[in-house]
Amino acid sequence: MDVTMAVLLALVLGLLMVKCALFQPRNPNSPPCVSGWIPWLGAAFEFGKAPLEFIEQARVKSLGFLFSSCSLQRVLETWHYDNQNRGLGSRNDIYGPVFTVFALGNRFTFVTEEEGIEAFFTSKDIDFEQAVQQTVQRTTSVPAEIFYRNHSRLYSMMKGKMGTSSLYLFAGTLCQELHEHMDCLGTAGTENLSDLIRSVMYPATVNILFGKGVCPTNKSDIKEFEEHFQKYDEDFEYGSQMPEYFMRNWSKSKKWLLKVFEKVVSDAERANPPESNSKTLLQHLLDNLHGKHLAPNYALLLLWASQANAMPVAFWTLAFILSHTSIYKKIMEDIVSVFGKAGKENIEISEDDLKKLLLIKWCTLEAIRLRSPGAITKKVVNPIKIQTFTIPAGDMLMLSPYWVHRNPKYFPDPETFKPDRWKEANLEKNAFLDGFVAFGGGKHQCPGRWLAIMEVHMLVVLFLYKYEFILLDPVPKESLLHLVGTQQPVGACRVQYKLQQ
């Protein structure tokens, strides 16, 4: 036997030994597991082909047991026919409402029905911070122990600074910023709606969170910054799971952004005022941060958190409004009733004005419902029982807002854009509809949710007040390839716009 053959044989035997160690016969009380056959990678390829479809197919399969044996047979035949060439499973793979996917060295256990959803938000045996610390470490290079040390304090600070009682501090400046960058669009044009929104929303958001002139926002120096940030955002999900040496272009953009934020932080620290109400959110973050040398890393995380979801939500909100003629017409009537005839004036929008334009807020929340993240995650720190299963410590417990929001128990006619359903929500008391989990739940809801909703609400009001819009393309479908963040559109959606007459 030559040396090459000996090395190959040793490698194969090593892989088999690792496989045996990783995939011991499962505990009969643990959920069924999709494990694949390649050590460490596991089912990453088959799951990664279409993760949202995979989750739903597994959930639908569990519903087959509710029907007669004849109906069950049809469910399984359909499953087998649809997926036999996708590698998503076969008619003999009955996963049910709780199932585990082994991929990239981790066990991801999905819960899809009410008991599992309740446990996800209320159980003390699962932890949010431990679930995301590896993601934060890979995407921003913040060590896990420092993130864990900082998280509770920074979360409490942001929750207070961006809560409903503090929105008035942002409203006036946000309105001015949106006007300023909207004026750059000219009197008329044709543009991809996503690009149109980004050109206004990105610099406005950056300026209110970081301080005007601190981050690159001028056309002359913003192009390179945006290119690197878009690359960073597009591959954020893969960068959060894969070793950085597999993600060279993404890693290059991350390092470039961190270098820029070294200067951003330095400028913010130098201009940090003593009065609390005069500080930017970045300056508040700097005041509360342990590990000052990591301030650029946290600034990058703040930028990503503020942009990655708000911009696609604004896109979907405006696209849905423009594609529903009766809703568009009613919103324009509401805007005229509040501000008079739409036109060229740079109106000031207060929180009270936004409360009078409730239909736009309903449209925003309905867009979020329909395009929510594919999954949110917590880590099991102690074994937890859900239904008849015991989920072992170390598993990542996964909940899909995207599919929870398509449960007809919570949202009748779930695939239809119906902003009127939000009449039932007690928004005056900041309560969403039952089953709405886009911002998480329990004590770890997104701290910036109310600011983001106000930002999209105000952007849509100003766009529709100032311009007439015509959709040139159908509203695109959402991508089903990602689990992290608001779903992105597949393809362009061009609009023609001109100043209101």
Side-chain angles (χ1 to χ4, degrees), residues 260-314:
V260 169
F261 276 110
E262 289 179 11
K263 183 179 185 305
V264 169
V265 167
S266 177
D267 291 344
E269 287 179 325
R270 187 166 53 250
N272 200 349
E275 305 84 12
S276 179
N277 283 352
S278 300
K279 294 177 184 286
T280 64
L281 192 63
L282 175 61
Q283 288 165 338
H284 282 296
L285 186 151
L286 296 175
D287 290 345
N288 287 272
L289 184 65
H290 282 313
K292 299 293 185 183
H293 64 290
L294 291 170
N297 309 65
Y298 274 95
L300 174 58
L301 183 61
L302 177 60
L303 176 68
W304 181 82
S306 67
Q307 298 290 295
N309 292 311
M311 284 195 290
V313 166

Side-chain angles (χ1 to χ4, degrees), residues 69-356:
S69 58
C70 181
S71 297
L72 173 58
Q73 179 67 21
R74 287 198 296 271
V75 169
L76 297 182
E77 290 291 353
T78 300
W79 163 263
H80 178 63
Y81 178 80
D82 288 344
N83 297 297
Q84 58 185 339
N85 295 319
R86 292 186 182 183
L88 296 182
S90 72
R91 61 188 292 180
N92 296 317
D93 299 324
I94 306 298
Y95 305 135
V98 183
F99 61 93
T100 300
V101 177
F102 181 87
L104 303 181
N106 294 303
R107 286 171 49 90
F108 302 95
T109 294
F110 288 84
V111 290
T112 63
E113 293 187 0
E114 192 168 350
E115 186 177 339
I117 295 170
E118 182 181 358
F120 186 90
F121 289 121
T122 62
S123 175
K124 296 180 180 179
D125 293 317
I126 56 177
D127 185 84
F128 170 77
E129 293 170 348
Q130 291 189 43
V132 300
Q133 61 188 14
Q134 186 181 63
T135 292
V136 172
Q137 182 165 331
R138 283 181 168 156
T139 55
T140 65
S141 301
V142 174
E145 64 274 11
I146 295 180
F147 170 77
Y148 203 75
R149 184 180 178 189
N150 274 311
H151 182 262
S152 293
R153 182 174 54 264
L154 293 181
Y155 177 85
S156 296
M157 180 275 292
M158 291 186 180
K159 184 178 178 181
K161 299 303 177 184
M162 294 187 287
T164 53
S165 62
S166 301
L167 293 182
Y168 73 96
L169 296 171
F170 296 96
T173 306
L174 176 60
C175 187
Q176 291 173 13
E177 286 287 338
L178 291 172
H179 274 304
E180 178 181 336
H181 299 289
M182 214 170 278
D183 287 343
C184 298
L185 300 180
T187 59
T190 299
E191 185 66 85
N192 181 13
L193 184 57
S194 287
D195 296 335
L196 192 70
I197 288 169
R198 183 182 294 107
S199 68
V200 173
M201 198 170 187
Y202 167 77
T205 303
V206 164
N207 284 344
I208 66 168
L209 294 182
F210 292 86
K212 197 170 183 69
V214 174
C215 272
T217 55
N218 297 323
K219 286 186 177 180
S220 58
D221 57 10
I222 199 175
K223 184 177 180 181
E224 188 177 12
F225 187 91
E226 280 195 327
E227 286 175 353
H228 281 291
F229 181 74
Q230 282 187 273
K231 178 62 179 174
Y232 177 79
D233 182 27
E234 285 171 1
D235 289 340
F236 183 93
E237 181 171 346
Y238 303 114
S240 71
Q241 298 295 324
M242 300 290 289
E244 202 160 316
Y245 50 80
F246 290 140
M247 307 282 297
R248 291 186 180 180
N249 290 335
W250 178 85
S251 178
K252 179 181 176 181
S253 290
K254 184 183 87 167
K255 291 173 182 176
W256 189 94
L257 290 165
L258 287 173
K259 189 69 176 177
V260 169
F261 276 110
E262 289 179 11
K263 183 179 185 305
V264 169
V265 167
S266 177
D267 291 344
E269 287 179 325
R270 187 166 53 250
N272 200 349
E275 305 84 12
S276 179
N277 283 352
S278 300
K279 294 177 184 286
T280 64
L281 192 63
L282 175 61
Q283 288 165 338
H284 282 296
L285 186 151
L286 296 175
D287 290 345
N288 287 272
L289 184 65
H290 282 313
K292 299 293 185 183
H293 64 290
L294 291 170
N297 309 65
Y298 274 95
L300 174 58
L301 183 61
L302 177 60
L303 176 68
W304 181 82
S306 67
Q307 298 290 295
N309 292 311
M311 284 195 290
V313 166
F315 165 81
W316 292 116
T317 302
L318 202 49
F320 282 137
I321 289 171
L322 296 178
S323 65
H324 290 76
T325 305
S326 60
I327 293 174
Y328 187 10
K329 180 180 178 181
K330 178 64 170 65
I331 285 175
M332 292 309 301
E333 291 171 355
D334 291 345
I335 289 175
V336 169
S337 72
V338 175
F339 299 109
K341 188 177 185 299
K344 301 176 184 177
E345 293 182 8
N346 281 359
I347 54 174
E348 293 184 10
I349 302 177
S350 67
E351 284 187 88
D352 287 338
D353 292 329
L354 293 178
K355 290 176 182 177
K356 297 172 186 174

Side-chain angles (χ1 to χ4, degrees), residues 59 62-63 66 96-98 110-123 126 384-388 397-400 403-405 407-411 434-437:
R59 185 183 73 86
S62 71
L63 299 180
L66 300 178
V98 183
F110 288 84
V111 290
T112 63
E113 293 187 0
E114 192 168 350
E115 186 177 339
I117 295 170
E118 182 181 358
F120 186 90
F121 289 121
T122 62
S123 175
I126 56 177
I384 178 175
K385 187 172 183 179
I386 298 176
Q387 295 188 349
T388 60
L397 197 64
M398 311 290 285
L399 176 69
S400 174
W403 287 117
V404 172
H405 293 170
N407 187 334
K409 175 182 176 180
Y410 299 118
F411 302 100
D434 289 344
F436 183 76
V437 294

Side-chain angles (χ1 to χ4, degrees), residues 344-400:
K344 301 176 184 177
E345 293 182 8
N346 281 359
I347 54 174
E348 293 184 10
I349 302 177
S350 67
E351 284 187 88
D352 287 338
D353 292 329
L354 293 178
K355 290 176 182 177
K356 297 172 186 174
L357 299 168
L358 203 53
L359 180 54
I360 296 177
K361 189 170 187 176
W362 293 349
C363 288
T364 302
L365 292 169
E366 184 70 347
I368 294 171
R369 180 188 74 81
L370 283 167
R371 298 295 182 262
S372 282
I376 51 179
T377 312
K378 292 186 179 182
K379 187 171 185 176
V380 181
V381 293
N382 295 304
I384 178 175
K385 187 172 183 179
I386 298 176
Q387 295 188 349
T388 60
F389 301 111
T390 299
I391 317 300
D395 276 25
M396 295 295 182
L397 197 64
M398 311 290 285
L399 176 69
S400 174

